[in-house]
Amino acid sequence: MKRPLSFSLPVTVVVLAILYIYLSTIFVFIDRWFGLMSSPGIMNAVVFTALALMSVFNYAIAILTDPGRVPPSFMPDVEDSDNPVHEIKRKGGDLRFCQKCSHFKPPRAHHCRVCRRCVLRMDHHCIWISNCVGHANYKVFFVFVAYAVIACIYSLVLLVGSLTVDPQKDELQSGDSFRTIYVISGLLLVPLSAALGVLLGWHVYLILQNKTTIEYHEGVRAMWLAEKGGHVYKHPYDVGAYENLTTVLGPSIFCWVCPTSGHIGSGLRFRTAYDSAYDSMAGASVR
């Protein structure tokens, strides 16, 4: 489902930053280091352009894709034996009900104060895509961050490499405007590479645990309470590292780098560790 477009200052800043980095990389760093019309120059320009296009494409999809709406008719079935996990409120133990949206919340859904509605498998609200990161666009958001990290590091390498060229080869490029391009690019690329690298690492960790950012923070409290009561806490949606990866990114390693989402399901229920335990017990009883 697509979202209506509206102006967003953070998104505009991101688009301008991408455009500036792309133009600087192609027409300054690559041209100065290799020569844009040389074989190495063309090869690097093609590779970097491909990375930039994939970054922009995934970024646009992350912005335009609705993260997932709770159907108005949703009603949890507490008697469903195939769904052993039902999330409840911390206080009172009742099934989670959103007072603002006036409907029950499916597992892993949360209300976003910015979007003013509940979002399926909500991770967080991201101002840089002017959208929530949730069930329907989490993968494409992750793929965008991965491509953006690679592109930023690649551009930074080209920036540093182009500085090794003898400045006497092109006196015109050694002027103040040329120096300004390097300074601005460095001020953009260094913090972007670091911040996006940390963000990518964080979400790799979350995917391997099959957690959202919200669930991580909730899990810290749950773990403390479990240890206090002498129990061991286990995240209910953690079904093993590889299974977690395929659940979020897709069943084939070749589709992990593409913005495909046919594998994600409805977002109203998710496989749990209890399902795995039940399947094992059923298999053992059959044998």
Side-chain angles (χ1 to χ4, degrees):
M1 183 183 295
K2 300 299 181 183
R3 298 170 60 244
L5 282 173
S6 59
F7 176 78
S8 170
L9 181 59
V11 170
T12 303
V13 170
V14 171
V15 172
L16 291 175
I18 291 173
L19 182 62
Y20 183 86
I21 290 171
Y22 176 77
L23 294 176
S24 298
T25 302
I26 297 295
F27 297 106
V28 178
F29 309 151
I30 292 177
D31 188 37
R32 187 161 187 255
W33 193 0
F34 302 106
L36 196 54
M37 291 297 103
S38 66
S39 295
I42 293 172
M43 182 190 70
N44 279 278
V46 168
V47 172
F48 187 77
T49 298
L51 285 172
L53 287 175
M54 287 302 293
S55 297
V56 171
F57 181 61
N58 283 276
Y59 182 63
I61 296 178
I63 293 171
L64 295 173
T65 301
D66 190 293
R69 293 178 179 271
V70 178
S73 60
F74 173 77
M75 180 69 68
D77 185 0
V78 295
E79 296 181 356
D80 183 5
S81 59
D82 293 332
N83 188 18
V85 174
H86 295 282
E87 296 179 356
I88 59 175
K89 295 180 180 179
R90 294 193 188 103
K91 296 180 180 179
D94 298 325
L95 291 171
R96 297 191 310 144
F97 185 86
C98 182
Q99 299 291 342
K100 295 178 180 178
C101 297
S102 299
H103 58 58
F104 285 98
K105 294 180 184 178
R108 315 183 81 175
H110 296 274
H111 188 88
C112 175
R113 289 175 294 179
V114 180
C115 296
R116 297 180 181 178
R117 65 181 177 88
C118 287
V119 175
L120 296 176
R121 195 186 178 276
M122 181 178 171
D123 187 89
H124 68 286
H125 185 91
C126 179
I127 64 168
W128 301 109
I129 65 171
S130 189
N131 194 7
C132 265
V133 178
H135 176 68
N137 66 347
Y138 179 82
K139 179 193 171 179
V140 73
F141 171 80
F142 174 80
V143 173
F144 157 67
V145 173
Y147 278 117
V149 168
I150 296 170
C152 283
I153 294 174
Y154 192 4
S155 180
L156 195 57
V157 170
L158 291 170
L159 183 155
V160 174
S162 66
L163 288 173
T164 63
V165 177
D166 184 0
Q168 298 300 322
K169 289 184 178 180
D170 194 343
E171 294 180 358
L172 293 176
Q173 289 186 336
S174 62
D176 292 337
S177 60
F178 185 71
R179 230 175 280 118
T180 301
I181 292 174
Y182 272 90
V183 171
I184 295 175
S185 297
L187 290 174
L188 282 172
L189 287 170
V190 172
L192 273 178
S193 298
L196 290 172
V198 170
L199 183 63
L200 179 64
W202 169 245
H203 282 283
V204 168
Y205 166 78
L206 290 178
I207 289 174
L208 291 174
Q209 301 288 322
N210 201 357
K211 294 179 181 179
T212 64
T213 300
I214 293 174
E215 288 169 351
Y216 169 81
H217 293 292
E218 290 179 340
V220 171
R221 183 176 184 276
M223 188 179 299
W224 177 77
L225 290 174
E227 290 177 353
K228 189 177 179 181
H231 304 289
V232 177
Y233 171 78
K234 178 175 173 60
H235 182 57
Y237 300 104
D238 183 0
V239 292
Y242 182 75
E243 291 294 330
N244 294 338
L245 275 172
T246 57
T247 297
V248 176
L249 300 181
S252 170
I253 193 170
F254 298 106
C255 70
W256 290 2
V257 294
C258 301
T260 55
S261 60
H263 62 283
I264 61 174
S266 66
L268 299 178
R269 59 177 299 173
F270 300 88
R271 186 182 175 194
T272 69
Y274 303 103
D275 296 331
S276 302
Y278 178 81
D279 293 342
S280 300
M281 290 173 63
S285 63
V286 170
R287 288 194 293 270

